[in-house]
Amino acid sequence: MQTIDLALATAPTHQAMPLRRVLGAYLAEARSECLRYLRAPSFLLPVVLFPTMFYLLFGIVMNHAADPHALTYLLASYGVFGVMSPGLFGFGVSLAMERDNGLLTLKRALPMPPGAYLLGKMLMAMLAAGVVILLLLAMALGLGHVQLTAGRAGLLLLTGMLGVLPFCAMGMFVGTLVRGQGAPGVLNLIYLPMSFMSGLWIPLSMLPSALQRLSPVWPSTHLQQIALHAVGLGQGPEWTHVLVLLVFGVGFSLLAARRLRRIG
């Protein structure tokens, strides 16, 4: 601990570093974070396969009527279900494990910009979310014959890559509260019930009225509405859902930052 304190005291701050070195530190951390997860199939395969398998099974195989409206609706819903995972688990589990094994303390002692660590994880989550949306789009257009313009497909991709950020903040907060071994279980207890109660698996109109009234509590409900707007099925003003997600993201980020300062 004394060695780490000495390193913290003597390490140069990023303000004193030339701009080129600061940018290089951000890029190096982002690259290492991406490579680390690309080499971890136990993380990437469930993130990519679960939403695509569900869409293939429930949206295409079991959709005997070949209803294009249902296929488009499920494209948006399972897209949201898919992008939640890299945000929650990519941040929550890895942060909890890095706290346990001391890697987070080591990174704090390194002479690099403090935001590079979080930026690398955010970039990886956005890339994973983009892969999920692209695979779902390929299945919807190729196997489901969904009629979707290039502009709407691009808007759905943008929605997924930006929509993962509030869940990154939520995962980061959970990662500051639990141990590494318990993080996957805790996050699954959040991820799966929230997906169901948001109408991602079953439309909200088919859920009990109590769950329908409770649905605005969940950020996934608001991201689903934005995704439905992206594919042309949205109702009501879109900006309210964007504002709610922004509040969720900022709120959980502040809570996580407070926890990190306390435990650091």
Side-chain angles (χ1 to χ4, degrees):
M1 184 60 69
Q2 291 180 349
T3 304
I4 293 174
D5 291 339
L6 180 60
L8 286 170
T10 58
T13 61
H14 70 278
Q15 289 89 349
M17 296 170 61
L19 179 61
R20 183 177 179 180
R21 289 189 60 191
V22 173
L23 295 177
Y26 276 100
L27 291 175
E29 183 66 17
R31 179 178 178 274
S32 65
E33 196 70 23
C34 291
L35 287 176
R36 186 157 68 98
Y37 283 107
L38 288 173
R39 293 169 179 170
S42 60
F43 168 75
L44 281 181
L45 288 180
V47 166
V48 172
L49 291 181
F50 280 174
T52 53
M53 288 175 57
F54 287 165
Y55 185 70
L56 177 64
L57 179 62
F58 298 111
I60 297 176
V61 175
M62 298 183 64
N63 185 14
H64 302 294
D67 183 1
H69 182 277
L71 284 169
T72 307
Y73 180 91
L74 290 176
L75 171 63
S77 293
Y78 283 126
V80 173
F81 174 69
V83 304
M84 290 165 59
S85 181
L88 290 172
F89 292 93
F91 256 87
V93 176
S94 64
L95 178 60
M97 295 182 66
E98 287 164 8
R99 284 177 50 222
D100 287 354
N101 61 28
L103 181 60
L104 183 60
T105 303
L106 175 63
K107 283 184 176 290
R108 286 179 172 179
L110 295 176
M112 71 175 186
Y117 172 75
L118 297 180
L119 182 64
K121 290 188 179 298
M122 287 170 53
L123 180 60
M124 183 57 217
M126 293 175 69
L127 290 176
V131 170
V132 170
I133 296 296
L134 287 174
L135 288 175
L136 288 173
L137 282 170
M139 295 178 65
L141 299 175
L143 300 177
H145 306 291
V146 172
Q147 299 297 317
L148 206 64
T149 65
R152 291 201 175 279
L155 191 58
L156 181 63
L157 177 61
L158 181 64
T159 298
M161 294 185 70
L162 295 179
V164 73
L165 296 178
F167 299 97
C168 289
M170 184 183 295
M172 181 168 60
F173 176 62
V174 175
T176 64
L177 297 174
V178 298
R179 294 282 186 179
Q181 292 183 343
V186 172
L187 286 167
N188 271 312
L189 289 176
I190 297 172
Y191 177 46
L192 299 178
M194 183 167 59
S195 299
F196 173 76
M197 291 186 287
S198 302
L200 300 184
W201 297 347
I202 302 174
L204 278 175
S205 58
M206 299 176 63
L207 294 178
S209 57
L211 294 182
Q212 294 182 37
R213 291 192 296 269
L214 193 62
S215 64
V217 173
W218 316 116
S220 45
T221 299
H222 301 278
L223 184 58
Q224 183 197 33
Q225 291 303 313
I226 298 173
L228 289 173
H229 274 279
V231 297
L233 300 179
Q235 297 178 354
E238 187 177 8
W239 67 268
T240 56
H241 303 294
V242 175
L243 182 60
V244 170
L245 286 178
L246 183 62
V247 171
F248 267 103
V250 172
F252 277 112
S253 296
L254 292 175
L255 289 173
R258 182 181 178 184
R259 279 283 305 167
L260 285 172
R261 285 195 298 268
R262 184 177 300 177
I263 63 181

